[in-house]
Amino acid sequence: MKKYNPYNNVLETIEAAAAMLKLPKNDYEALKYPERELKVAIPVEMDNGDVKVFEGYRVQHSSTRGPCKGGIRFHPDVEIEEVKALAAWMTFKCAVVNLPFGGAKGAVNVEPKKLSRAELRRLTRRYTAMILPLIGPEKDIPAPDINTNADIMGWIMDTYSMLKGYSVSGVVTGKPIGIGGSLGRSTATGRGVMLITSEILHRLGFPVLDTTVAIQGVGKVGGVAASLLAKKGMKVVALSDVSGGIYKAEGLNIIKVVEFIKDGGHLIDYNIEKVQHITNKELLTLKVDVLIPAAMENQINKEIANNVKAKIIVEGANGPTTTEADEILATKNIIVVPDILANSGGVIVSYFEWVQNIQSLTWDEDEVNKTLEKIIIRAFNEVWQKTNKHKATLRMGAYMVALERLGEAKRIRGIFP
Ligand code: NAD
């Protein structure tokens, strides 16, 4: 079988959206290539005195609409094609919600759970030093992604500041509040997923109360989305993490599950309430109203798509659905709200954090949440209209909105020299 390459997914989507818009090739040709790719070798002194070398990357896909923006992932399976795809998705995400940013992504090939906290800190600091020429508040601003968190962002901010000789809080977002992080950032992506889920239900004329939801991934995105959706009155009947999933037809006790995960538990061991243990594959094919993949890319492939029974898919993760699967879901009339819109809450509030940092002021949480809602719902409306106008899928609608903005910026700026 041909190896899955997420960057091919990106290229296919760009070509399809450009064809629908009848965009001249010159307007989007450069978007098929990342602007810069950096690969680094990161030596780390382990606690036992051994030196181990980890591979890391930073890819800047596009700076056409502003500084590059994108998270840093620590994961044992990362490789360059995945980082390129993640960087490109950031370009389109920032464009679809109309933020003045381009797209980037970073990653280190590591299983962070196998490192002590001190080893993780040394790895983060050395990685930051190695990608230092690329990053900066006016150039490229990292943020958290899979297996990275506010502590790690704090170490990045400190390392960058030490090497510059002064404090630079705007170099990274998703930081702890005490060093310039924004209120509302840690819950922003999950909040955005909740807002988008509520909005799509509303548009399709479905009720919110007792709508059944299954979520793959109980991390920063899936865990928060589960809590906020349950608060809205939806019934989260299934959740999964890397160890497996749990199902309860009457709805799970989300507060208990999230606490259990925060305490370091894995769902395979969850028995606080009476649940049925299921596999990740079973979760993805459950008969529910809404399915939210919020873990990794390439989860809904051709085989899974043929068996999906949800009416709506809201993509919390980046790239969870393959192009082939997308076509199958469309023929089954399953509505897919694409990642670049559905999980944009994180980068929207990262933008607020960056704005607060460069202006040296702070917003209260209410202002953050209200402005997030305003921006994400406005983007939803624009995507909805474009989708209806072209009788397309929401993914194509979102890419068309983004491509038009990117194409316009490219035309205005022209090609250097
Ligand atoms: P996280 O590390 O906080 O959580 C990841 C969750 O996915 C965990 O519950 C983990 O157990 C589970 N998981 C990992 N591998 C899995 C597998 N193979 N099968 C099933 N479950 C698996 O990460 P996160 O920040 O919540 O990110 C999740 C997804 O959302 C990623 O695709 C990420 O790129 C995307 N995303 C994150 C943000 C953000 O602000 N954190 C913003 C936009 C998009």
Side-chain angles (χ1 to χ4, degrees):
M1 204 167 71
K2 218 170 95 191
K3 192 172 172 279
Y4 165 74
N5 180 338
Y7 198 68
N8 287 342
N9 256 17
V10 175
L11 296 178
E12 282 165 20
T13 316
I14 295 176
E15 288 290 1
M20 273 192 186
L21 282 170
K22 299 193 173 57
L23 262 197
K25 205 169 181 309
N26 284 355
D27 278 10
Y28 70 92
E29 182 63 13
L31 289 168
K32 289 163 39 185
Y33 303 85
E35 283 176 13
R36 284 192 189 89
E37 295 171 38
L38 175 67
K39 182 177 174 194
V40 294
I42 312 157
V44 177
E45 189 178 341
M46 308 304 278
D47 291 345
N48 67 3
D50 286 354
V51 172
K52 254 184 136 171
V53 181
F54 300 88
E55 268 180 6
Y57 309 93
R58 185 75 188 169
V59 173
Q60 296 178 337
H61 175 259
S62 167
S63 59
T64 299
R65 285 173 40 87
C68 298
K69 183 87 190 81
I72 290 174
R73 172 175 295 194
F74 286 176
H75 197 279
D77 298 333
V78 288
E79 40 84 37
I80 188 67
E81 291 300 299
E82 179 186 12
V83 188
K84 280 165 62 182
L86 288 160
W89 286 324
M90 285 306 297
T91 299
F92 288 92
K93 191 180 302 183
C94 292
V96 78
V97 291
N98 212 1
L99 301 179
F101 284 141
K105 204 79 176 191
V108 178
N109 196 303
V110 61
E111 174 50 90
K113 288 177 191 81
K114 290 195 180 146
L115 302 191
S116 70
R117 189 171 161 82
E119 288 167 343
L120 194 61
R121 191 175 57 231
R122 289 196 288 274
L123 171 80
T124 305
R125 286 188 178 285
R126 182 61 185 247
Y127 170 68
T128 308
M130 306 287 284
I131 64 166
L132 194 97
L134 293 198
I135 61 172
E138 60 300 291
K139 290 199 281 189
D140 180 355
I141 308 121
D145 192 71
I146 293 181
N147 292 330
T148 54
N149 56 23
D151 287 353
I152 292 173
M153 297 307 115
W155 297 331
I156 294 176
M157 179 271 189
D158 184 67
T159 306
Y160 185 88
S161 299
M162 286 298 108
L163 294 169
K164 287 282 164 186
Y166 52 92
S167 276
V168 189
S169 54
V171 66
V172 73
T173 58
K175 298 178 292 292
I177 306 292
I179 54 165
S182 176
L183 292 168
R185 172 60 184 91
S186 62
T187 51
T189 312
R191 178 172 294 278
V193 169
M194 177 275 286
L195 291 166
I196 290 289
T197 306
S198 307
E199 191 63 22
I200 188 75
L201 287 170
H202 170 66
R203 295 296 171 121
L204 298 173
F206 292 155
V208 165
L209 218 59
D210 287 337
T211 286
T212 53
V213 185
I215 306 180
Q216 184 194 36
V218 207
K220 295 182 290 296
V221 181
V224 174
S227 307
L228 295 175
L229 290 167
K231 260 196 193 155
K232 276 248 155 193
M234 294 182 214
K235 214 195 280 181
V236 181
V237 294
L239 287 172
S240 68
D241 65 9
V242 69
S243 73
I246 52 174
Y247 174 78
K248 188 175 174 186
E250 310 85 67
L252 292 158
N253 184 329
I254 301 302
I255 296 175
K256 287 208 169 122
V257 183
V258 169
E259 249 172 39
F260 172 83
I261 297 280
K262 273 203 181 126
D263 291 343
H266 284 104
L267 289 181
I268 198 164
D269 305 318
Y270 183 81
N271 57 12
I272 296 174
E273 55 188 311
K274 199 165 180 317
V275 296
Q276 186 186 333
H277 285 270
I278 57 174
T279 62
N280 264 288
K281 195 169 159 188
E282 284 166 335
L283 178 136
L284 294 171
T285 53
L286 278 175
K287 192 168 185 319
V288 284
D289 298 314
V290 182
L291 171 65
I292 304 181
M296 299 284 293
E297 55 269 13
N298 190 23
Q299 295 301 299
I300 306 180
N301 54 24
K302 194 171 153 188
E303 183 206 337
I304 297 281
N306 276 316
N307 292 298
V308 167
K309 294 173 205 71
K311 295 178 192 134
I312 301 168
I313 296 176
V314 178
E315 293 184 332
N318 286 312
T321 313
T322 65
T323 318
E324 274 180 321
D326 231 8
E327 285 165 14
I328 296 168
L329 296 170
T331 59
K332 290 172 74 176
N333 289 324
I334 296 170
I335 305 286
V336 181
V337 189
D339 47 6
I340 60 167
L341 174 63
N343 71 29
S344 63
V347 74
I348 293 172
V349 177
S350 272
Y351 166 61
F352 301 161
E353 181 172 329
W354 177 76
V355 166
Q356 292 170 75
N357 292 155
I358 55 182
Q359 296 186 343
S360 296
L361 51 77
T362 50
W363 301 6
D364 62 35
E365 191 161 358
D366 196 45
E367 187 177 359
V368 168
N369 290 344
K370 275 194 184 135
T371 318
L372 161 63
E373 182 164 357
K374 195 170 97 186
I375 292 183
I376 206 166
I377 298 300
R378 185 181 61 205
F380 183 99
N381 283 332
E382 287 167 338
V383 169
W384 186 259
Q385 278 169 21
K386 187 65 88 190
T387 300
N388 288 339
K389 184 175 165 199
H390 289 266
K391 297 190 174 41
T393 61
L394 285 168
R395 188 181 316 280
M396 278 301 118
Y399 272 84
M400 283 191 274
V401 170
L403 258 183
E404 276 184 338
R405 290 197 175 123
L406 285 155
E408 184 196 6
K410 286 213 171 286
R411 274 194 306 280
I412 294 168
R413 290 182 63 162
I415 301 276
F416 177 82

